[in-house]
């Protein structure tokens, strides 16, 4: 696992966008796994700017979802499908056909989970999966004590998570109780995992993920098992890392040809 400490969220977004751009130059039809929420927005904004400037051609890129609400009607503005189309697919100038995600409105949700998990494999696997992290160490909607071998499945949202997400809806009553999420085992199938964390509120989760034991109580700690996992954190999110000086030194001495 590589840990990169950057000055702020904007710098983190630029760094990850550079890595995605380099990937697209090597593999123009790369499958990019995206996360929702405010944390990854600087990445999408920086990547869209590179596309607009002609610095990278993303026209053949493919985009896939990390998770989706269950029960929202197709086209609901707060479905994660709509959010990804609005914040990633459209700004990159990609057609809707470049996007793949689970069907949260399916009558048979379990079958939809299995179908999406299989579809990721048929598509050749995720080349780079962008992740955020919860204050409790969750990734996707894999809450603490999720199986580290779990596949795409339905999960019940905790009351706190529903309250946290209520700001995107007119009321708490409108927030779904269930989601489809890639499991931790599914996430670990990606060739490169990139976790972005910003803000002091994420500092303990980052420290537990990077320096603590691999344990299901901190789902993100599973990244320690991956052969190519990168954790990008701003100064505030890095504030509880005991090995921060080591991480700074190793990144400063890293050969440029290695990339992210």
């Amino acid at each position: 696992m590589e840990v990169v400490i950057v000055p702020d969220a904007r710098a983190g977004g630029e760094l990850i966008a550079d890595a995605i751009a380099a990937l697209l130059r090597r593999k123009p039809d790369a499958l990019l796994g995206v996360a929702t929420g405010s944390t990854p927005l600087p990445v999408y904004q920086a990547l869209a700017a590179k596309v607009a400037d002609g610095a990278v051609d993303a026209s053949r890129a493919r985009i896939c979802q990390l998770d989706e609400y269950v029960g929202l009607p197709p086209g609901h503005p707060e479905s994660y499908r709509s959010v990804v189309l609005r914040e990633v697919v459209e700004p990159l100038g990609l057609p809707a056909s470049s996007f793949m995600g689970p069907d949260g409105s399916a009558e048979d949700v379990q079958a939809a989970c299995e179908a999406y998990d299989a579809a990721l494999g048929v598509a050749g696997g995720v080349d780079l999966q962008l992740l955020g992290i919860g204050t409790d160490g969750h990734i996707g909607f894999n809450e603490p004590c999720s199986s580290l071998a779990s596949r795409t499945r339905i999960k019940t949202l905790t009351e706190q998570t529903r309250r946290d997400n209520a700001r995107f809806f007119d009321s708490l009553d409108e927030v779904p109780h269930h989601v489809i999420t890639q499991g931790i085992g599914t996430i670990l199938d990606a060739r490169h995992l990139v976790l972005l964390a910003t803000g002091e509120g994420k500092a303990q989760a980052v420290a537990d993920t990077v320096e603590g034991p691999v344990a299901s109580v901190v789902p993100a700690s599973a990244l320690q098992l991956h052969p190519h996992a990168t954790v990008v954190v701003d100064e505030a999110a890095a504030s509880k890392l005991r090995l921060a000086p080591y991480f700074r030194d190793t990144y400063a001495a890293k050969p440029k040809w290695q990339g992210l």
Side-chain angles (χ1 to χ4, degrees):
M1 177 187 290
E2 179 180 33
V3 179
V4 182
I5 301 172
V6 295
D8 51 35
R10 182 176 179 180
E14 287 286 349
L15 181 67
I16 296 171
D18 283 343
I20 295 173
L23 169 62
L24 291 174
R25 294 185 189 104
R26 298 192 307 271
K27 186 177 182 181
D29 65 344
L31 181 56
L32 306 175
V34 297
T36 53
S38 57
T39 299
L41 288 178
V43 178
Y44 307 144
Q45 292 163 356
L47 185 60
K50 293 180 187 300
V51 171
D53 292 343
V56 63
D57 179 6
S59 62
R60 293 172 58 193
R62 297 170 294 154
I63 306 295
C64 65
Q65 267 179 281
L66 182 62
D67 39 40
E68 179 59 278
Y69 284 120
V70 170
L72 292 184
H76 189 288
E78 295 308 325
S79 72
Y80 289 138
R81 175 181 294 265
S82 294
V83 171
V84 170
L85 290 174
R86 188 166 63 239
E87 296 180 349
V88 183
V89 175
E90 292 173 5
L92 293 181
L94 301 176
S97 59
S98 69
F99 171 83
M100 60 186 298
D103 184 359
S105 62
E107 184 173 338
D108 187 338
V109 178
Q110 182 58 37
C113 294
E114 294 171 3
Y116 185 53
D117 207 88
L120 293 173
V122 171
V126 178
D127 291 291
L128 184 150
Q129 176 65 58
L130 183 61
L131 299 166
I133 186 172
T135 55
D136 59 1
H138 76 257
I139 49 176
F141 277 107
N142 296 285
E143 300 286 357
C145 293
S146 292
S147 166
L148 301 186
S150 55
R151 307 301 302 182
T152 302
R153 67 210 190 285
I154 185 171
K155 292 287 286 184
T156 301
L157 295 180
T158 65
E159 189 64 17
Q160 184 58 55
T161 297
R162 292 184 67 246
R163 290 186 182 280
D164 290 344
N165 289 359
R167 67 188 187 277
F168 300 112
F169 294 83
D170 290 336
S171 71
L172 177 62
D173 291 340
E174 294 184 11
V175 182
H177 286 268
H178 299 93
V179 290
I180 293 173
T181 185
Q182 286 187 35
I184 298 174
T186 307
I187 291 170
L188 291 175
D189 283 345
R191 295 178 181 87
H192 186 190
L193 299 178
V194 181
L195 188 152
L196 175 62
T198 57
E200 188 176 358
K202 301 295 178 69
Q204 188 60 56
V206 167
D208 291 342
T209 292
V210 172
E211 298 176 342
V214 176
S216 63
V217 72
V218 182
S221 67
L223 270 66
Q224 295 182 37
L225 304 173
H226 197 277
H228 190 188
T230 306
V231 176
V232 179
V233 292
D234 69 359
E235 293 288 350
S239 61
K240 294 189 177 182
L241 287 172
R242 180 173 55 86
L243 296 176
Y246 166 75
F247 297 136
R248 296 181 197 280
D249 289 347
T250 54
Y251 185 69
K254 184 177 181 179
K256 291 186 181 299
W257 55 264
Q258 282 190 325
L260 192 64

